């Protein structure tokens, strides 16, 4: 009994030793990443160079044939272009929206916490559920948006149709030399998921709606971390409004905004749920992203090798983006 | 520091919770909670599998049928009775039809899942993953007679001589149209030209025709059927791509005209439910769909059902020739541990198809015509005064397999699953391509797909 105590103590000491404790705590996470991210990635690289089909995890080695085959496919190139547009456009909306929201929500006012909770909800809701909600909102036959546009909104038959003022605005835009927008036809209302441009807009909107809360929370954290002394000093120096924002708040907020942007880009470029649920790549395969096209080719059409190749087109792009963003964030931090 | 902690602890004067204490207390708490659960388990005994009294288990996955009564009969009557006879617990899972291909691929990738997989289109691309179903075909043929041409050409690969699926049923694909509206415009939809002529008048009445051009099953089926009426095909009888023809161009022109004159943009966002929803809501004047539309109307809106005619697909300049609306194909995976039972189940179901035919309300037509020997009489006996007699005609004369005039093969599957035909039609209808360019672009996409599967020895 007396001899057991030093042994227990030695074990306790080991737990307190950084050389042991640090690896012990990090190992599970490292193993998790290696097994669930690293191993599938290596397998995907291998499969992309084979002619493997469904149900096989091996195939004839064909080097880069799958990559060139994919490149020569119009749908693939359209998907690549869409992925870039989808990612950049939704992130632009998110950055601007989150910036505005964060500045509004960081100030103390009555009901601030409730409003913050409401804004967080899209992030907390399961993506499939919320996207199915939008699928119904944009439905081809029973869209609530279209219903609101083309039905008389005035009680008692007051003949107020929302599409009329919208058409008046669209008519004004149509006069601009470089823009052409159609008008809303009451009997043939816009098909939010049935026309390529509208479908892309719908997808971008829903993705931005999803990511916005995440970016807003990060922005709020960033703004809250700026010491009040800095604001006071800026005020003493006469910097107010936009000037203060441009020279003080923005530079200090930039590193954390970069983190939000990096995550947003990665989440968006690798997302397939929104597109899959809303359009399945339609109309006429015009809204496919690399993720959905890889799924369509590799899973639904049984071409595992080619599907893996398509999905890997994203990898170097995201790798470069990640490295650039981290370098940028570090430089800003250091300066 | 650690030593100090220990000393303080031994003296009982430690004030804060150390890391070690946290780990120790957490572990202790877990053990207490676990031990607390033990008496409950001891009292209740080891949890038992609820269906343990059966010797075997057979797992089936198939779609949620558009006629819900079929699923009720299948799950609660047929499989229960069959299971009791064969000392087997038959477990049936249902999923939405759009999820079937992905689910099948997932089971293949995992090499586990259900013993029997019910597809809604031939799956030649999965040939290497399934058993040869020849044995079941032979048994059923001996009992009820020959398999239909649709079934044969959907599930048999002449190149490898393998039955890559068992053709259980196929579904005739008629048109549904509103008699009042079509009478009002004074035209009957007998030919595609009739549809083109009537479309603008019907649209002006606020009731456009609804012919989908979207990434979904119904659009795919309809558009390939339309092509066939114009003499255009995905492939020829020798499994060579045949899409770039003057017939395809004519079919594309026809659809473009019908869309421009008599449809709205909603057809580009069509889903598998849109035909039913659009027609049952009273908006559409014509839809091409299986009889689930009229069956739903009979239950929910008898006046609409009364006002609806069911007819064969309109005739084109070359012929009147539709596709099956869906092709019910059962496959048994190679990884299944219950192959013998699965074969027995499929054979028994087909040889006694009367119940399936009746409970699907004539939606499922047996792929072996002799499996329901008097189905023409049953169609005539339906309470709705012979409305369904036409299904027999459609099934016998105007229904062919996907991939006709050739066999349904892996290349056709891939073209079907990647929506290349709806893409071609929609691009022309929306003015993104001329008919000639679209047909040529489609050939450009079809060629490597055929070459790939030919290279793999499947066609």
């Amino acid at each position: 009994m007396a001899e057991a105590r030093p042994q227990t103590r030695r074990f306790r000491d080991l737990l307190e030793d950084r050389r042991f404790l640090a690896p012990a705590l990090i190992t599970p996470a490292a193993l998790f990443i290696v097994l669930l991210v690293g191993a599938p990635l290596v397998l995907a690289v291998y499969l992309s160079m084979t002619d493997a089909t469904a149900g096989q995890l091996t195939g004839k080695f064909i080097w880069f044939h799958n990559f060139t085959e994919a490149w020569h496919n119009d749908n693939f190139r359209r998907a690549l272009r869409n992925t870039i547009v989808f990612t950049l456009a939704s992130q632009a909306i998110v950055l601007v929206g989150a910036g505005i929201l964060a500045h509004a929500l960081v100030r103390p006012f009555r009901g601030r916490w409730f409003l913050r909770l409401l804004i967080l909800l899209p992030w907390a809701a399961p993506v499939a559920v919320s996207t199915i909600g939008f699928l119904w909102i944009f439905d081809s036959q029973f869209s609530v948006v279209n219903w609101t546009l083309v039905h008389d909104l005035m009680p008692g038959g007051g003949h107020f149709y929302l599409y009329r003022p919208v058409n008046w605005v669209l008519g004004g835009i149509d006069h601009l030399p470089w823009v052409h927008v159609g008008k809303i036809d009451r009997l043939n209302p816009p098909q939010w998921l049935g026309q390529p441009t509208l479908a892309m807009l719908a997808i971008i909107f829903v993705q931005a709606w999803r990511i916005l809360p995440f970016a807003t929370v990060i922005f709020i954290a960033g703004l809250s971390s700026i010491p009040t002394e800095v604001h006071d000093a800026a005020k003493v120096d006469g910097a107010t409004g936009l000037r203060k924002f441009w020279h003080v708040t923005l530079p200090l907020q930039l590193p954390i905004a970069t983190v939000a942007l990096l995550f947003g880009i990665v989440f968006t470029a690798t997302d397939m749920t929104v597109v899959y649920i809303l359009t399945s790549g339609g109309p006429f395969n015009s809204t496919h992203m690399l993720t959905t096209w890889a799924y369509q080719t590799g899973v639904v059409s049984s071409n595992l090798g080619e599907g893996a190749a398509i999905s890997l087109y994203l990898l170097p792009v995201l790798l470069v983006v990640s490295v650039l963003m981290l370098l940028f964030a570090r430089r800003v931090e250091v300066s | 520091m650690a030593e100090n902690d220990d000393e303080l602890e031994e003296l009982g004067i430690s004030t804060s919770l150390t890391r070690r204490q946290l780990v120790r207390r957490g572990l202790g708490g877990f053990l207490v909670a676990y031990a607390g659960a033990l008496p409950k388990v001891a009292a209740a005994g080891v949890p038992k599998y609820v269906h343990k009294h059966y010797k075997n288990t057979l797992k089936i996955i198939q779609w949620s049928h558009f006629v819900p009564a079929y699923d009720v009969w299948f799950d609660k009557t047929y499989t229960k009775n069959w299971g009791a006879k064969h000392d087997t617990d038959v477990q049936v899972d249902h999923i939405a039809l759009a999820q079937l291909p992905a689910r099948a691929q997932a089971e293949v990738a995992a090499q586990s899942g259900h013993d029997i997989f019910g597809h809604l289109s031939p799956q030649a691309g999965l040939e290497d993953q399934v058993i040869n179903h020849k044995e079941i075909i032979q048994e059923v043929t001996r009992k009820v007679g020959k398999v239909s041409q649709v079934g044969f050409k959907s599930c048999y690969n002449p190149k490898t001589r393998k039955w890559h699926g068992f053709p259980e049923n196929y579904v005739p694909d008629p048109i549904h149209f509103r008699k009042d509206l079509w009478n009002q415009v004074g035209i009957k939809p007998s030919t595609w030209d009739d549809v083109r002529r009537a479309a603008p008048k019907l649209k002006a009445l606020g009731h456009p025709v609804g012919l989908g051009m979207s990434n979904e099953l119904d659009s795919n089926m309809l558009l390939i059927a339309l092509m066939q009426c114009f003499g255009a095909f995905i492939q020829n009888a020798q499994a060579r791509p045949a899409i770039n023809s003057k017939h395809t161009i004519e079919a594309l022109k026809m659809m473009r005209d019908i869309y421009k004159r008599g449809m709205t943009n909603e057809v580009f966002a069509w889903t598998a439910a849109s035909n039913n929803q659009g027609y049952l809501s009273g908006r559409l004047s014509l839809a091409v769909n299986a009889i689930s539309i009229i069956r739903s109307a009979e239950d929910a809106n008898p006046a609409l059902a009364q006002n609806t005619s069911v007819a064969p697909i309109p005739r084109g300049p070359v012929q009147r020739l539709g596709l099956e609306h869906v092709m019910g194909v059962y496959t048994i995976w190679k990884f299944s541990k219950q192959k013998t039972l699965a074969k027995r189940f499929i054979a028994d179901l087909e040889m006694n198809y009367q119940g399936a035919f009746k409970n699907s309300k004539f939606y499922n037509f047996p792929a072996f015509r002799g499996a329901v020997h008097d189905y023409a009489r049953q169609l005539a006996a339906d309470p709705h005064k012979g409305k369904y007699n036409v299904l027999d005609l459609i099934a016998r004369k105007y229904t062919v397999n996907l991939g006709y005039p050739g066999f349904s093969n892996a290349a056709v599957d891939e073209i079907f699953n990647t929506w290349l035909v709806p893409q071609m039609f929609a691009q022309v209808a929306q003015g993104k391509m001329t008919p000639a360019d679209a047909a040529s672009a489609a050939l450009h996409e079809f060629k490597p797909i055929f070459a790939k599967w030919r290279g793999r020895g499947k066609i």
Side-chain angles (χ1 to χ4, degrees):
Chain A
M1 183 72 186
E3 275 184 10
R5 270 197 88 70
Q7 269 184 4
T8 318
R9 182 164 291 181
R10 267 206 299 279
F11 178 68
R12 285 176 182 174
D13 292 348
L14 203 59
L15 272 181
E16 295 301 324
D17 188 347
R18 257 168 204 263
R19 283 171 305 172
F20 173 77
L21 189 64
L25 292 176
I26 289 170
T27 303
L31 271 177
F32 184 82
I33 291 170
V34 167
L35 290 176
L36 296 183
V37 180
L41 184 66
V42 171
L43 187 62
V45 173
Y46 165 71
L47 286 173
S48 71
M49 295 186 186
T50 68
D51 66 350
T53 54
Q56 303 172 322
L57 287 180
T58 54
K60 203 173 92 191
F61 210 68
I62 53 172
W63 290 102
F64 295 100
H65 179 74
N66 285 328
F67 290 89
T68 52
E69 187 81 6
W71 184 257
H72 288 113
N73 187 311
D74 290 341
N75 283 330
F76 167 80
R77 280 192 274 191
R78 196 177 299 124
L80 183 62
R81 194 174 58 233
N82 286 344
T83 306
I84 295 166
V85 172
F86 172 55
T87 307
L88 295 182
S90 58
Q91 287 317 297
I93 296 170
V94 166
L95 275 186
V96 174
I100 294 168
L101 274 175
H103 275 88
L105 292 174
V106 82
R107 294 160 200 270
F109 60 88
R110 219 178 143 88
R112 181 174 69 159
W113 289 105
F114 182 66
L115 200 59
R116 280 186 180 183
L117 177 76
L118 284 184
I119 285 168
L120 258 181
L121 280 182
W123 182 254
V127 54
V129 174
S130 53
T131 312
I132 287 173
F134 276 102
L135 181 68
W136 293 337
I137 288 171
F138 295 134
D139 186 82
S140 62
Q141 296 171 345
F142 308 107
S143 162
V144 69
V145 181
N146 285 349
W147 191 94
T148 312
L149 281 171
V150 303
H151 278 79
D152 185 4
L153 297 179
M154 194 71 85
H159 298 292
F160 175 73
Y161 296 93
L162 195 59
Y163 78 93
R164 287 179 181 159
V166 172
N167 273 350
W168 184 79
V169 175
L170 291 176
I173 296 172
D174 225 12
H175 280 104
L176 299 172
W178 65 90
V179 185
H180 176 70
V181 286
K183 286 192 178 178
I184 296 170
D185 175 358
R186 195 179 164 209
L187 293 174
N188 189 9
Q191 286 301 322
W192 304 101
L193 305 177
Q195 289 163 284
T197 312
L198 289 180
M200 272 302 280
L201 286 175
I203 290 167
I204 289 167
F205 171 77
V206 175
Q207 181 68 8
W209 176 85
R210 274 189 63 221
I211 304 282
L212 189 68
F214 172 73
T216 306
V217 168
I218 292 188
F219 275 40
I220 290 175
L223 284 176
S224 307
S225 68
I226 299 173
T228 47
E229 292 86 347
V230 176
H231 292 296
D232 294 341
K235 202 184 271 181
V236 169
D237 290 343
T240 52
L242 270 180
R243 209 177 165 81
K244 192 183 110 191
F245 171 75
W246 189 252
H247 291 288
V248 180
T249 315
L250 188 64
L252 287 170
Q253 202 193 349
L254 214 50
I256 203 145
T258 315
V259 172
L261 183 64
L262 168 65
F263 275 97
I265 287 176
V266 175
F267 284 155
T268 306
T270 56
D271 180 83
M272 72 168 273
T273 318
V274 172
V275 187
Y276 183 70
I277 292 177
L278 285 185
T279 65
S280 298
F284 50 85
N285 291 331
S286 64
T287 60
H288 269 300
M289 305 294 153
L290 284 185
T291 47
T292 51
W293 188 244
Y295 170 79
Q296 195 73 34
T297 308
V299 178
V300 180
S301 302
S302 309
N303 295 304
L304 205 56
E306 200 177 325
I310 292 168
S311 64
L312 283 175
Y313 264 94
L314 272 180
L315 187 67
V317 180
L318 290 180
L319 211 62
V320 169
V321 169
S322 304
V323 170
L324 280 179
M325 301 295 270
L326 288 172
L327 280 177
F328 179 67
R330 191 159 171 260
R331 208 175 59 190
V332 174
E333 216 171 355
V334 170
S335 65
Chain B
M1 174 68 191
E3 221 160 86
N4 286 346
D5 276 355
D6 288 338
E7 283 165 11
L8 288 171
E9 217 178 307
E10 277 161 22
L11 291 169
I13 52 174
S14 173
T15 49
S16 59
L17 190 66
T18 64
R19 187 161 50 216
R20 190 165 50 248
Q21 284 171 320
L22 182 73
V23 171
R24 194 191 300 154
R25 287 179 191 180
L27 192 64
F30 170 76
L31 288 174
V32 168
Y34 185 73
L38 284 178
K40 195 178 164 193
V41 175
V46 178
K48 288 190 178 70
Y49 180 50
V50 283
H51 302 291
K52 196 68 182 174
H53 53 281
Y54 282 124
K55 192 175 148 197
N56 307 301
T57 302
L58 185 70
K59 291 181 187 165
I60 302 171
I61 187 168
Q62 56 194 33
W63 72 313
S64 299
H65 205 288
F66 268 142
V67 178
Y70 179 82
D71 285 347
V72 174
W73 168 81
F74 189 81
D75 296 0
K76 297 193 173 155
T77 306
Y78 183 77
T79 52
K80 295 287 174 243
N81 292 342
W82 188 91
K85 271 187 205 162
H86 294 83
D87 198 9
T88 300
D89 173 33
V90 183
Q91 297 173 5
V92 188
D93 292 322
H94 297 275
I95 57 173
L97 71 97
Q99 306 302 323
L100 285 170
R103 174 73 202 200
Q105 295 290 350
E107 295 205 357
V108 164
Q111 290 292 297
S112 72
H114 297 79
D115 301 296
I116 299 177
F117 202 106
H119 307 271
L120 283 188
S121 59
Q123 297 293 324
L126 296 173
E127 184 176 327
D128 289 342
Q129 303 303 323
V130 297
I131 65 162
N132 190 343
H133 299 76
K134 185 179 172 186
E135 201 183 308
I136 321 173
I137 301 281
Q138 287 174 334
E139 183 182 347
V140 177
T141 304
R142 277 197 299 273
K143 182 83 186 285
V144 302
K146 276 174 69 177
V147 64
S148 61
Q149 274 297 299
V150 183
F152 173 56
K153 292 183 90 171
S154 293
C155 293
Y156 182 69
N157 186 340
K159 172 84 177 174
T160 58
R161 299 183 174 188
K162 180 173 179 176
W163 285 87
H164 50 73
F166 178 86
E168 182 231 350
N169 74 77
Y170 66 102
V171 178
D173 202 13
I175 61 167
H176 292 63
F177 64 95
R178 287 263 300 267
K179 284 188 278 191
D180 58 342
L181 296 169
W182 283 80
N183 285 341
Q184 211 172 323
V185 300
I187 299 171
K188 211 177 160 209
S190 299
T191 67
W192 282 109
D193 198 48
D194 292 335
V195 177
R196 171 161 56 185
R197 283 189 301 117
K201 296 173 186 168
L202 292 162
K203 188 181 176 186
L205 293 173
H207 298 281
V209 297
L211 304 170
M213 282 185 269
S214 173
N215 286 11
E216 55 90 29
L217 183 83
D218 290 355
S219 301
N220 236 340
M221 288 298 186
L222 156 73
L223 297 170
I224 297 169
L226 171 76
M227 279 169 44
Q228 291 177 169
C229 295
F230 281 73
F233 303 101
I234 291 175
Q235 63 172 4
N236 62 20
Q238 289 75 43
R240 302 275 171 195
I243 192 74
N244 192 11
S245 68
K246 65 178 195 306
H247 303 292
T248 304
I249 293 169
E250 289 307 311
L252 288 166
K253 283 181 185 167
M254 169 61 80
M255 197 58 172
R256 182 182 62 187
D257 284 358
I258 295 173
Y259 161 70
K260 284 194 169 165
R261 292 171 181 209
M263 292 205 282
T264 58
N265 289 330
E266 64 194 330
V267 294
F268 300 113
W270 225 234
T271 67
S274 295
N275 282 323
N276 295 49
Q277 289 171 349
Y279 193 91
L280 292 169
S281 70
R283 176 171 160 75
L284 298 179
S285 52
L286 178 143
V288 181
N289 204 73
I291 56 166
S292 51
I293 289 185
I294 192 155
R295 285 303 193 192
S296 302
E298 282 165 4
D299 292 338
N301 188 347
L304 180 65
Q306 190 70 32
N307 191 18
T308 295
S309 268
V310 178
I313 189 165
R315 181 182 291 281
V318 173
Q319 61 195 341
R320 187 195 303 275
L321 193 61
L323 274 179
E324 25 81 15
H325 183 72
V326 293
M327 180 81 218
V329 175
Y330 275 133
T331 56
I332 301 171
W333 299 123
K334 276 183 181 169
F335 63 71
S336 166
K337 292 185 174 64
Q338 294 287 14
K339 293 189 190 77
T340 310
L341 261 182
K343 287 180 195 170
R344 184 75 268 129
F345 180 88
I346 294 173
D348 287 347
L349 176 65
E350 194 67 23
M351 292 187 300
N352 301 286
Y353 210 72
Q354 170 61 35
F357 181 64
K358 192 177 161 197
N359 285 287
S360 72
K361 299 186 177 178
F362 312 147
Y363 188 95
N364 291 13
F365 266 58
F368 290 75
R369 192 171 154 75
V372 182
H373 65 277
D374 63 342
Y375 75 61
R377 190 185 58 76
Q378 289 187 50
L379 290 172
D382 186 84
H384 297 90
K385 294 176 187 165
K387 189 170 258 183
Y388 295 102
N389 287 347
V390 71
L391 293 180
D392 179 39
L393 177 72
I394 296 170
R396 279 187 295 109
K397 283 188 73 177
Y398 304 130
T399 305
V400 293
N401 62 295
L402 182 63
Y404 180 88
F407 285 75
S408 194
N409 57 43
V412 173
D413 266 7
E414 185 170 340
I415 288 162
F416 190 77
N417 287 334
T418 45
W419 321 114
L420 294 179
V421 173
Q423 176 180 338
M424 176 178 73
F425 273 91
Q427 281 175 324
V428 172
Q430 290 206 358
K432 309 281 180 194
M433 276 190 179
T434 64
D437 287 348
S440 165
L443 180 67
H444 177 70
E445 297 192 78
F446 286 17
K447 269 184 174 172
I449 295 174
F450 274 90
K452 179 174 64 191
W453 289 106
R454 185 162 275 115
R456 289 176 185 171
K458 299 298 178 207
I459 53 176

